[in-house]
Amino acid sequence: MTRCRYLLGLFFGTIKSMTSSPATSAAGALAADHPLMDGRTADSPLITAYRGGKPSRRPVWFMRQAGRSLPEYLKVREGVAMLDSCLRPELASEITLQPVRRHDVDAGIFFSDIVIPLKLAGVGVDIVPGVGPVLDTPVRTAADVAALPQLTWEALEPIREAVRLTVAELGKTPLIGFAGAPFTLAAYMVEGRPSRDHLGPRTLMHADPETWTALANWAADASGMFLQAQLEAGASAAQLFDSWAGSLGLADYTKYVAPASTRALDHVRHLGAPLIHFGTGTSELLVAMRDVGVDVVGVDYRLPLDEANRRLGGTVPLQGNIDPALLPAPWEILEAHVCDVLAAGAAAPGHVVNLGHGVPPETDPAVLTRVVELIHSIAPE
Ligand code: 1CP
């Protein structure tokens, strides 16, 4: 701890205090009793930092904080298939709340999955343990895309119900909603299952751009509706996960992918909640990912936050980027790394601490709790 304060002291000595901006949103369509509108979450450390203001403590949450690292998760999931657990509102809500209770993190991340909008639209998809999302039939041709069923607003009711139950329990702690970005969703749809290099969607965008655009737009609208359901039901921010965008070069990303990600977010911009965009292996795409129109950029563990901030010209708050590989390392090593992340993040106009990707399932949850305590023990600048 002493070491951390020392390191931060050195770093912060040169940094001017950040200006805070009022936490107001454009006249949005969120209801007056929404947590972001009725005084519960607008001044929370998370939302304040996302809006570039000065939070009362350093906000931290972890991608995949709910899930297999928690014994209480494994217990309630016994005998329940992954996608079924997402569609039982009481269960999804309980799983969302578990890490908030245990770790004192500054946000809940809604327990669901990026393929839930597909499932609710009627696409045959399952999450196979040890594999990930698998589709009954891959989507590869113009006819396949034309045959995709449309997601309806009614089908999203279990999502809205789970969010309502969750925010009723969370009080002043904000809930973050999320969705998969069109490229990452389409990667599963074209391949039919997880893949390493995402060759199928990358071939399709060049070989048959029309079919690609129709597929990306379908995915954008499904994800956009999924985000809208979560935000309107009570989430105070939303993160678009383009986990696999790092397999694209900048030219392909800009031409074939960014417009669809913009389209997904167009469903919710008018609501005025902070929007975060995250991908892995996306160090070369950060500016383009910001430019789809988001308030915050999530950075993976590969790029120090001060360098990410330099690339973005100091324009947006950042989220990240403790390396998940260091979670099992001896505490002194992990502590020094967390301190480095805080110091580098201070360069940005706002910093929400997170991992550089999800919590690995074998993580000792006590380590996560200790990391949260460390971060909260260091006063914000
Ligand atoms: O049975 C289980 O426990 C299955 C593991 C699991 C879990 C806990 C899957 C299957 N999905 C989830 C929940 C989940 N998925 C959350 C919930 C909340 C939290 O963060 O605490 C979130 C945000 C997601 C999002 C998600 N699903 C992403 C984007 C985030 C990321 O990690 O990059 C992706 C790529 C998926 C697809 C997916 N679902 C599940 C797995 C194992 C995968 C990845 C498969 C692959 O390697 O391609």
Side-chain angles (χ1 to χ4, degrees):
M1 191 87 66
T2 316
R3 183 173 180 194
C4 196
R5 286 187 197 288
Y6 172 69
L7 289 173
L8 284 166
L10 278 183
F11 202 91
F12 287 139
T14 58
I15 291 170
K16 301 262 177 293
S17 74
M18 297 157 198
T19 50
S20 78
S21 60
T24 49
S25 62
L30 294 178
D33 62 352
H34 186 283
L36 197 57
M37 308 303 277
D38 70 4
R40 271 178 285 170
T41 62
D43 298 328
S44 64
L46 181 93
I47 300 299
T48 303
Y50 278 160
R51 288 177 164 163
K54 187 178 171 187
S56 56
R57 71 177 186 183
R58 291 172 187 269
V60 52
W61 66 279
F62 302 114
M63 291 183 278
R64 295 283 177 105
Q65 64 189 19
R68 285 170 298 168
S69 69
L70 299 185
E72 58 269 38
Y73 168 80
L74 296 174
K75 187 147 184 282
V76 297
R77 273 287 318 279
E78 259 169 39
V80 187
M82 172 63 197
L83 293 182
D84 290 344
S85 69
C86 298
L87 296 176
R88 291 192 196 171
E90 287 83 10
L91 187 53
S93 174
E94 166 59 21
I95 295 173
T96 303
L97 294 166
Q98 286 175 345
V100 182
R101 291 189 201 114
R102 184 189 262 266
H103 300 308
D104 190 27
V105 278
D106 293 276
I109 171 85
F110 182 55
F111 181 79
S112 197
D113 195 82
I114 60 169
V115 297
I116 281 289
L118 274 62
K119 170 100 177 161
L120 291 177
V123 174
V125 60
D126 200 5
I127 289 187
V128 176
V131 179
V134 175
L135 274 79
D136 295 348
T137 322
V139 182
R140 292 178 180 157
T141 65
D144 293 341
V145 177
L148 284 169
Q150 291 305 312
L151 178 60
T152 65
W153 191 241
E154 295 69 43
L156 287 158
E157 183 52 24
I159 302 305
R160 287 189 293 272
E161 178 60 10
V163 169
R164 284 192 288 265
L165 292 171
T166 307
V167 298
E169 296 293 322
L170 278 173
K172 288 172 174 286
T173 303
L175 178 70
I176 301 172
F178 75 91
F183 175 74
T184 290
L185 262 192
Y188 290 109
M189 295 173 80
V190 176
E191 298 281 356
R193 55 189 295 114
S195 67
R196 212 187 62 182
D197 298 319
H198 317 298
L199 291 172
R202 293 198 290 119
T203 301
L204 183 64
M205 61 182 68
H206 287 276
D208 185 353
E210 241 175 76
T211 297
W212 166 257
T213 301
L215 174 59
N217 285 344
W218 185 93
D221 292 339
S223 278
M225 288 173 71
F226 186 46
L227 288 176
Q228 188 183 352
Q230 294 167 73
L231 284 167
E232 289 189 356
S236 292
Q239 177 157 320
L240 193 66
F241 279 96
D242 211 347
S243 301
W244 312 137
S247 65
L248 296 160
L250 179 60
D252 283 353
Y253 179 82
T254 305
K255 183 168 178 189
Y256 295 112
V257 171
S261 295
T262 297
R263 177 173 172 137
L265 294 170
D266 284 346
H267 286 257
V268 294
R269 279 181 213 294
H270 64 287
L271 299 174
L275 302 176
I276 310 111
H277 200 184
F278 170 79
T280 67
T282 45
S283 301
E284 306 308 317
L285 305 180
L286 291 180
V287 170
M289 288 179 69
R290 176 200 63 195
D291 290 346
V292 308
V294 292
D295 305 288
V296 178
V297 171
V299 182
D300 83 351
Y301 57 86
R302 294 172 177 87
L303 193 69
L305 292 178
D306 48 355
E307 172 59 15
N309 183 62
R310 193 192 64 73
R311 294 183 184 193
L312 288 159
T315 49
V316 280
L318 298 180
Q319 179 172 277
N321 67 351
I322 298 168
D323 188 345
L326 271 72
L327 293 173
W331 173 250
E332 295 67 35
I333 293 173
L334 175 58
E335 182 187 42
H337 173 61
V338 171
C339 294
D340 285 347
V341 168
L342 297 186
H351 179 204
V352 171
V353 187
N354 205 312
L355 300 180
H357 200 180
V359 175
E362 57 279 1
T363 303
D364 175 359
V367 171
L368 295 178
T369 307
R370 198 170 175 192
V371 167
V372 173
E373 283 168 5
L374 170 65
I375 292 162
H376 284 163
S377 74
I378 301 164
E381 275 303 288

